[in-house]
Amino acid sequence: MGKRVGLEVTVAVAEAVALCRIDMAGVYPITPQSHIAEHLSNLVADGKLDAEFVTVESEHSAMSAVIGAAAAGARVYTATSSQGLMLMHELLPIASAMRLPITMAIANRAVSGPLNILNDHSDIMPQRDAGWIAVFAENGQEAVDLSIAAFKIAEHKDVMLPVSVNIDGFQLTHMVEPVILPSQEEVDAFLPPFVPHATLHPSNPVTMGAFSMSDYFTEIMKAKDEAIKNSRKVILEVWDEWGRQFGRSYKPVETYRAEDADILMLTMGSMGETAKIAIDELRGKGVRAGLVKLRLWRPFPFAELKAAVKNAQKLIVTDRAVSFGGPGGPVFSEIKSALFAQARRPSIYNYIIGLGGRDMAVSDFVGMFDQVLADRAQAKADTYEFWGVRE
Amino acid sequence: MNIVENFDLFAPRLINKKELFSCGHRACSGCAEVLSVRLMCKALGDDTVVASATGCMEIVSSMFPTTAWRIPWIHVAFENAAAVASGVEAGLKALRKKGKIDDRYIKVVGMAGDGGTMDIGIQALSGAMERGHDMIYVCFDNEAYMNTGIQRSSGTPMGASTTTAPAGKASSGQKTWKKNMPEIMVAHEIPYVATVCPSYPLDFIRKFEKARNIKGPSYIHCFSVCPTGWRSPSETAVSMGRLAVETGVFPLFEVESGHYRMSPDMPKKLKPLRSYFKPQGRFRHLTDAEIDAIQERVTAEFNKLTQKAKFL
Amino acid sequence: MALKTWKELPIGCVVFEPGSASEYHTGSWRSQRPVWDDAKCIKCGICYVFCPEGCVQQGEDGFFKADMNYCKGCGICAHECWPRAIKMVEEG
């Protein structure tokens, strides 16, 4: 049985990763991720984790090194944030094309400029098309559970893809929360040893990362797209199995008081918890409000999303990033596209919120509901605005 | 003719017969870089894993769904061969320690061209060397970005005409001196730094064998004649490399734990630079005065190096 | 060889056939070919060592020959041959 302890979330995540018996980690320091790297290196230094901890000289090399080690057949881990993730950007689609099951924590943080070290989702959004499975945690326990489950999903023989576990910077990474850490025996029972599809070893000399001309490139892209789409089945299975073994189960889309709701709000990451309180407050006033939490960003959970919003009149999509000069926030445009062909779909409103660590109180969430409810002509549907911006 | 005398009748008998880099690769006719790769594979043998940067050697050898490699090989991107190699090394080390793979000794090699090493890849290389990974890094230096069409790099020598530093009415080609990469590696205080040229195959193989047996990082800088980019006849690829050595443009030496040693193949007296420049189209525009200035620098650099070999 | 469909691609496009580049015959690039005069050959093997293709091999008689499926006709072997036993001849 695992024990319930009070831990900073980064430390809890590092402990969880150590329970997965990684062979190698390559991590470069960046706020607010660094505590993961520090705690992992402590565990190695104290002999509690038998792994090579490579102190790379950049995030680009962090991703390069874990790609190399994964190709050699090792179970690998890295973590980053913001500018570090942007520096890795080049390598992310290569890791997924090579089908290397790398697990990475992203302590989500605003992207420069100007420099800002606080939380939003502008780092992960530009990685949308990298071919990585992307999941979002709402609290410390989820960060632990989803991190361990990530290894199992990534390494499943029908998946073999990298996974990012998104954990809001500071708002989540630096919270001290009560967390149940599973025991080593429990994790060993849950997570089988990594069996790679190919390895860099002289006993069977293979070539990885071969060059492709137009004769094969389309087929390779199609195969990668099918691979990530097919990972959905394994993600559902692994999260169900986690639920059976540990009593906490996860779904690609989760809802709160949504069944009979006229008006829904969609969040990703840690702000779901504040939004929940706003929902309760609105329900207390007789507003039939509900919450939809998007946990799985890639592969996009189309069926689950459609089912979750099918009865609502209005849907407020919150975005933690901007698509400058685009159709609205990145999540908003995906949701609109997902619902476009539905015969009956809610009017969709978009608020860009909580940029660069801007605090979002319960009253802010209530305020968004109030605005949307007041919009009887639905004049503001299908457009976006920056919540709380000084005019 | 001393090369042949030194070389003797024994060359094929001294060299690993196994071709670990297959025929059918798409390198240009007369490519001395691919010859270097072939000789490197012979020197290092089967128990080697190569991480290659993007570049000529990568595209000529790995046209999907085929490969010229008979040893494990990986390509990820342009600037990160050293980082990928360091990850492979760390991964294999962990797996061997945990008994998940057999415990044979495998040498990991990172390789890139001059651009991939001296320009875009220098950070990853510096990091990997500083961390002390048990690996060899090889720079196959053909003195420009040949794969993308002969653009200048920091490895392009003074006066050479390239497509981004062309000779013209107002320019004599490359305006800067070649970056001294081996010295930058020596400054990392790694156990072994060496320069090689495939025109001297026994020296070449001996240095790779030495690097293979050193535990820790080694850096080998390989001078690789590019007939296409240098506008020189393909059949002279090997003799041109020899001229680079004989003129002191590319001295063969090694630095073991800080101690310099000139290769026994180095001539007592250097040939004039003109004999090396003349057959190459990339230097054809240079005036006598310009060649004299470059000659002066080559002589000075060579003397500096021989001083180090005497005293360090 | 028929091109594979997307369903037939190996995971991660790993190439499992070492040295399979030899399926491709680069000999068609050649405009001149090396011809050995065995009477002049001293069997030193320089042609074998310096061949960028690795396509020069020693026969059982000790003499050398290039595999014309791969020889690109660069002429290094002829240029380096000390006893001048190799001549480059224009392809017909």
Side-chain angles (χ1 to χ4, degrees):
Chain A
M1 230 344 238
K3 52 183 192 291
R4 194 180 180 86
V5 285
L7 286 175
E8 186 185 291
V9 171
T10 49
V11 173
V13 166
E15 288 282 343
V17 168
L19 288 169
C20 295
R21 299 186 190 275
I22 55 166
D23 299 307
M24 179 271 189
V27 197
Y28 185 78
I30 184 169
T31 304
Q33 169 282 116
S34 304
H35 290 183
I36 298 179
E38 289 169 12
H39 194 67
L40 271 178
S41 51
N42 277 341
L43 292 170
V44 173
D46 292 341
K48 290 176 183 161
L49 170 60
D50 185 9
E52 288 293 314
F53 188 88
V54 182
T55 52
V56 278
E57 84 299 330
S58 72
E59 288 89 351
H60 197 279
S61 286
M63 186 47 62
S64 303
V66 296
I67 286 173
R75 177 174 286 166
V76 300
Y77 184 75
T78 187
T80 190
S81 179
S82 181
Q83 306 309 116
L85 186 60
M86 299 298 269
L87 189 54
M88 286 182 181
H89 178 79
E90 182 201 17
L91 301 165
L92 301 182
I94 303 175
S96 56
M98 295 175 95
R99 305 288 295 275
L100 297 171
I102 295 159
T103 296
M104 169 163 70
I106 302 172
N108 300 108
R109 166 186 143 179
V111 162
S112 295
L115 180 71
N116 174 297
I117 58 163
L118 302 172
N119 170 232
D120 69 28
H121 292 168
S122 56
D123 54 2
I124 178 64
M125 288 303 153
Q127 323 308 331
R128 184 190 66 178
D129 299 335
W132 282 54
I133 294 169
V135 302
F136 280 75
E138 189 176 321
N139 56 46
Q141 188 65 58
E142 292 191 9
V144 164
D145 295 356
L146 293 172
S147 294
I148 300 172
F151 285 97
K152 183 153 180 166
I153 292 165
E155 295 170 3
H156 192 285
K157 67 174 176 43
D158 297 336
V159 178
M160 290 291 176
L161 282 168
V163 180
S164 72
V165 180
N166 289 268
I167 307 166
D168 282 327
F170 288 113
Q171 266 140 344
L172 194 46
T173 54
H174 285 51
M175 292 299 116
V176 175
E177 294 193 2
V179 167
I180 300 171
L181 276 180
S183 69
Q184 186 64 67
E185 294 69 37
E186 284 171 332
V187 175
D188 289 346
F190 174 77
L191 182 62
F194 172 35
V195 183
H197 61 88
T199 61
L200 294 171
H201 194 274
S203 59
N204 183 17
V206 299
T207 282
M208 293 184 179
F211 167 71
S212 162
M213 292 289 281
S214 55
D215 58 349
Y216 269 108
F217 198 78
T218 305
E219 283 66 28
I220 294 168
M221 293 304 104
K222 170 73 174 167
K224 181 169 157 181
D225 188 43
E226 289 296 322
I228 190 159
K229 282 202 238 168
N230 290 338
S231 70
R232 184 178 169 277
K233 187 170 161 280
V234 173
I235 295 167
L236 297 178
E237 277 170 21
V238 170
W239 283 349
D240 281 348
E241 191 189 335
W242 182 271
R244 285 195 301 279
Q245 194 179 332
F246 297 98
R248 297 178 296 277
S249 60
Y250 297 100
K251 298 283 179 221
V253 174
E254 287 166 19
T255 56
Y256 177 69
R257 304 185 82 166
E259 269 92 278
D260 65 337
D262 298 322
I263 181 164
L264 289 171
M265 176 178 276
L266 184 139
T267 60
M268 287 167 80
S270 64
M271 282 196 179
E273 297 207 327
T274 320
K276 241 174 170 176
I277 302 169
I279 301 288
D280 289 342
E281 204 177 300
L282 288 160
R283 285 272 175 175
K285 289 189 234 167
V287 179
R288 291 208 292 185
L291 183 65
V292 175
K293 296 182 289 184
L294 194 57
R295 173 176 309 292
L296 183 62
W297 175 234
R298 281 292 182 275
F300 193 87
F302 290 97
E304 291 87 345
L305 179 85
K306 286 174 189 167
V309 304
K310 69 177 191 300
N311 297 323
Q313 306 297 317
K314 292 184 173 184
L315 170 64
I316 303 167
V317 175
T318 61
D319 260 290
R320 310 285 317 277
V322 188
S323 173
F324 300 97
V331 182
F332 172 60
S333 54
E334 296 251 329
I335 303 287
K336 268 205 299 190
S337 148
L339 299 177
F340 180 74
Q342 299 302 100
R344 201 172 147 266
R345 64 177 182 91
S347 301
I348 310 172
Y349 296 78
N350 187 207
Y351 289 102
I352 291 164
I353 68 169
L355 295 181
R358 180 69 62 89
D359 193 35
M360 289 291 293
V362 174
S363 58
D364 289 301
F365 290 96
V366 173
M368 285 185 272
F369 276 102
D370 287 346
Q371 263 198 11
V372 169
L373 287 165
D375 182 28
R376 290 186 214 293
Q378 302 190 354
K380 290 186 168 176
D382 288 343
T383 60
Y384 68 103
E385 65 183 80
F386 287 62
W387 179 258
V389 69
R390 288 184 297 279
E391 295 288 353
Chain B
M1 282 303 125
N2 68 341
I3 171 69
V4 176
E5 284 153 26
N6 286 345
F7 203 73
D8 219 10
L9 303 176
F10 308 112
R13 267 159 270 178
L14 292 171
I15 289 171
N16 179 4
K17 284 281 194 307
K18 222 164 159 179
E19 297 293 344
L20 293 169
F21 189 85
S22 82
C23 296
H25 64 75
R26 269 78 155 179
C28 300
S29 177
C31 173
E33 187 170 350
V34 89
L35 168 61
S36 307
V37 169
R38 175 180 166 242
L39 294 176
M40 172 185 82
C41 291
K42 283 179 176 293
L44 297 177
D46 296 85
D47 288 342
T48 307
V49 178
V50 174
S52 173
T54 310
C56 288
M57 292 305 100
E58 174 255 329
I59 64 153
V60 305
S61 68
S62 73
M63 182 78 83
F64 185 79
T66 65
T67 180
W69 297 89
R70 292 194 174 107
I71 49 179
W73 182 88
I74 183 171
H75 160 252
V76 178
F78 192 7
E79 68 281 56
N80 65 349
V84 173
S86 76
V88 173
E89 187 264 352
L92 290 174
K93 189 173 168 189
L95 294 172
R96 199 161 42 233
K97 190 174 158 209
K98 294 182 180 185
K100 292 182 185 175
I101 55 172
D102 63 48
D103 69 350
R104 83 176 85 175
Y105 181 63
I106 299 166
K107 199 76 189 190
V108 179
V109 176
M111 61 176 266
D114 46 297
T117 301
M118 302 157 84
D119 290 343
I120 200 168
I122 195 168
Q123 174 184 316
L125 171 60
S126 179
M129 296 290 107
E130 174 273 325
R131 292 193 297 273
H133 293 277
D134 183 14
M135 59 178 270
I136 306 173
Y137 185 92
V138 190
C139 171
F140 291 102
D141 180 5
N142 55 21
E143 303 198 313
Y145 290 91
M146 298 311 182
N147 190 37
T148 47
I150 324 172
Q151 294 85 11
R152 68 83 74 183
S153 76
S154 60
T156 303
M158 173 68 88
S161 183
T162 55
T163 55
T164 52
K169 276 185 184 153
S171 169
S172 295
Q174 180 88 344
K175 295 176 178 65
T176 51
W177 300 106
K178 184 183 178 81
K179 191 185 277 183
N180 192 338
M181 202 58 206
E183 285 294 344
I184 293 171
M185 288 294 105
V186 170
H188 282 68
E189 301 193 342
I190 55 176
Y192 189 60
V193 174
T195 65
V196 299
C197 175
S199 308
Y200 298 83
L202 297 185
D203 180 72
F204 182 107
I205 287 170
R206 185 186 61 79
K207 286 171 176 166
F208 269 94
E209 284 172 348
K210 191 179 253 184
R212 190 181 199 288
N213 291 324
I214 283 170
K215 301 285 178 288
S218 303
Y219 175 83
I220 294 182
H221 196 101
C222 176
F223 192 77
S224 311
V225 175
C226 173
T228 308
W230 296 9
R231 286 176 279 139
S232 55
S234 64
E235 70 272 16
T236 62
V238 168
S239 56
M240 197 71 71
R242 207 174 289 131
L243 269 173
V245 172
E246 289 168 344
T247 53
V249 165
F250 189 83
L252 294 176
F253 65 99
E254 58 192 334
V255 186
E256 253 184 293
S257 308
H259 297 289
Y260 286 72
R261 188 162 51 242
M262 301 305 288
S263 167
D265 292 300
M266 287 307 294
K268 297 278 175 296
K269 193 171 176 304
L270 297 182
K271 286 187 178 169
L273 189 61
R274 273 185 181 74
S275 59
Y276 171 65
F277 275 13
K278 214 179 149 221
Q280 298 183 48
R282 61 177 178 157
F283 294 119
R284 203 153 290 155
H285 58 282
L286 293 178
T287 63
D288 281 348
E290 283 165 340
I291 295 175
D292 288 344
I294 299 170
Q295 175 72 71
E296 203 174 305
R297 166 92 173 201
V298 166
T299 309
E301 286 296 313
F302 185 77
N303 289 341
K304 242 163 59 185
L305 179 67
T306 50
Q307 286 303 305
K308 285 180 190 167
K310 258 182 215 157
F311 300 112
L312 292 176
Chain C
M1 196 177 61
L3 295 172
K4 289 186 169 79
T5 68
W6 70 266
K7 290 178 191 166
E8 294 164 333
L9 294 177
I11 291 180
C13 293
V14 175
V15 182
F16 289 98
E17 299 79 29
S20 48
S22 58
E23 289 167 11
Y24 180 70
H25 289 180
T26 51
S28 60
W29 300 11
R30 194 175 55 239
S31 62
Q32 49 173 6
R33 63 163 65 213
V35 176
W36 273 258
D37 179 353
D38 288 349
K40 291 184 183 167
C41 176
I42 58 165
K43 300 179 181 177
C44 71
I46 268 197
C47 52
Y48 155 78
V49 172
F50 283 139
C51 176
E53 308 310 312
C55 73
V56 175
Q57 296 299 334
Q58 192 169 22
E60 281 183 7
D61 55 5
F63 292 114
F64 289 84
K65 239 188 6 221
D67 185 337
M68 288 299 144
N69 285 323
Y70 302 107
C71 171
K72 292 171 186 164
C74 70
I76 289 177
C77 53
H79 192 75
E80 294 301 318
C81 179
W82 177 53
R84 302 189 185 285
I86 308 170
K87 236 196 223 113
M88 296 308 289
V89 178
E90 291 294 314
E91 286 287 354

